[in-house]
Amino acid sequence: MTASGNRGTTTAAEELRAAGLRVTAARVAILDTVRAGDHLGVDAIAEGARERVGHVSLQAVYEALHAMTGKGIVRRIEPAGSPARFEGRVGDNHHHLVCRSCGAVADVDCAVGNSPCLEPISDAGFLVDEADVTFWGLCPACREAAPPRQTAG
Amino acid sequence: MTASGNRGTTTAAEELRAAGLRVTAARVAILDTVRAGDHLGVDAIAEGARERVGHVSLQAVYEALHAMTGKGIVRRIEPAGSPARFEGRVGDNHHHLVCRSCGAVADVDCAVGNSPCLEPISDAGFLVDEADVTFWGLCPACREAAPPRQTAG
DNA sequence: TTCGTTCTCTTGAATCATTCATGTTTGAGG
DNA sequence: CCTCAAACATGAATGATTCAAGAGAACGAA
């Protein structure tokens, strides 16, 4: 295990270099933070990066995340009504569960085989390249805090 | 045919009253605009409402749309990276096609039967009540303007 | 019809995420 | 070591949305 939070196949530095991005302390820290975190927002990523390498400006974080998203080494999700979040899981076609109450995000594997959701019945002439599925509901914790009416009566 | 743009079953005034909202000129105009339009944004709705009844403040539009969304008589969609849009089609479980280039939005009926997408494989303990599916791609117009590489080579 | 309560509307200011602008620093090849 | 584009920092700007407080209007009750 390396010192840079390598969790899986490649180190952050290798990923960056392979993507044609320069390997800077800030970007390594940002990518490590995204990978170690769980659907973090920009502020949380900035904080995590700072814990690793001292000072990193918020703009550098935005810039880096934009570049990494463009290269496909991080994925950006943006549930309606909340700021953008980023995750390190890319390549697989997974979707998300979002809690209406606390905003928590959890991954869900794509249900129907490979890409069921990737093909709308009628595409209205659109050239579709991605399906973005978000399931809305209450997370376990919020379910308990505000039980809907499951067995009441 | 009434004078209020009734398109289907009920008039805007009736819908508002049935939902427990007061019937004001502004709200009737806003609801009519949303129903007549095609996934309009807040500004466009405000303009449309003004064309019908003179002056309507932007805040009144936000307030009204919020109330109507809460009552389920309009639906709010918010494709990642763009401001909120509203539509009058509610009750059916339809999804959306969004153009990456121009932002155009088109409806798609839910493919798999009633609510295929409504049940994630693993719900991670979440109490899911809605599935929000967005298909990303290029609309016919943008496809032509910037042909990807369909038969190139 | 008149009255009163409460919802709705207006004006104006504030918030928050994100982007733009500009100058400085630095990674990486030559 | 040198050069230059990529990346970074600081600071300001933008744009959608929300908050605040008082004026106005809808609707049920009297």
Side-chain angles (χ1 to χ4, degrees):
Chain A
M1 185 185 294
T2 70
S4 53
N6 169 16
R7 72 169 246 218
T9 33
T10 47
T11 66
E14 286 169 348
E15 282 266 318
L16 289 169
R17 202 181 308 276
L21 299 174
R22 286 188 182 168
V23 179
T24 68
R27 294 195 168 189
V28 168
I30 289 166
L31 184 49
D32 280 338
T33 301
V34 171
R35 285 178 155 191
D38 188 50
H39 307 101
L40 301 178
V42 175
D43 284 338
I45 294 169
E47 280 184 38
R50 286 179 194 127
E51 280 174 16
R52 292 164 196 257
V53 295
H55 180 94
V56 180
S57 75
L58 194 58
Q59 280 60 25
V61 177
Y62 272 103
E63 243 277 310
L65 290 171
H66 186 87
M68 293 182 206
T69 302
K71 297 295 185 178
I73 60 183
V74 303
R75 183 172 165 196
R76 173 186 169 126
I77 64 173
E78 191 182 329
S82 70
R85 290 162 175 275
F86 295 82
E87 65 184 350
R89 272 286 157 88
V90 294
D92 62 342
N93 181 32
H94 76 270
H95 304 308
H96 298 100
L97 285 157
V98 181
C99 179
R100 288 189 192 281
S101 179
C102 69
V105 179
D107 288 335
V108 221
D109 289 327
C110 189
V112 199
N114 324 327
S115 54
C117 10
L118 272 169
E119 293 177 26
I121 307 255
S122 148
D123 64 5
F126 277 59
L127 181 64
V128 176
D129 62 73
E130 186 185 347
D132 185 347
V133 184
T134 302
F135 297 99
W136 294 89
L138 288 178
C139 70
C142 292
R143 250 176 110 162
E144 223 169 303
R149 77 206 54 186
Q150 33 189 30
T151 53
Chain B
M1 186 186 293
T2 70
S4 54
N6 169 17
R7 72 168 245 220
T9 31
T10 46
T11 66
E14 286 168 349
E15 284 265 317
L16 289 169
R17 202 182 308 275
L21 299 174
R22 288 189 181 166
V23 179
T24 67
R27 295 196 166 189
V28 168
I30 289 167
L31 183 48
D32 279 338
T33 301
V34 171
R35 285 177 155 190
D38 188 49
H39 308 99
L40 301 178
V42 175
D43 284 338
I45 294 169
E47 279 184 38
R50 286 177 195 128
E51 280 175 14
R52 292 164 196 256
V53 295
H55 181 94
V56 179
S57 75
L58 194 57
Q59 280 60 25
V61 176
Y62 272 104
E63 244 278 310
L65 290 171
H66 186 87
M68 292 182 206
T69 302
K71 298 295 185 177
I73 60 181
V74 303
R75 183 171 164 198
R76 173 187 170 127
I77 64 173
E78 191 182 329
S82 70
R85 290 162 175 273
F86 295 82
E87 65 185 350
R89 273 282 158 91
V90 295
D92 63 342
N93 181 32
H94 76 270
H95 305 309
H96 298 100
L97 286 158
V98 181
C99 179
R100 287 188 193 282
S101 179
C102 69
V105 179
D107 289 335
V108 221
D109 289 327
C110 189
V112 199
N114 323 327
S115 55
C117 11
L118 271 169
E119 293 178 25
I121 307 252
S122 148
D123 65 5
F126 276 59
L127 181 63
V128 176
D129 62 72
E130 185 185 349
D132 185 347
V133 183
T134 301
F135 297 99
W136 293 88
L138 288 178
C139 69
C142 292
R143 253 176 109 161
E144 224 170 301
R149 77 206 55 186
Q150 32 189 33
T151 52

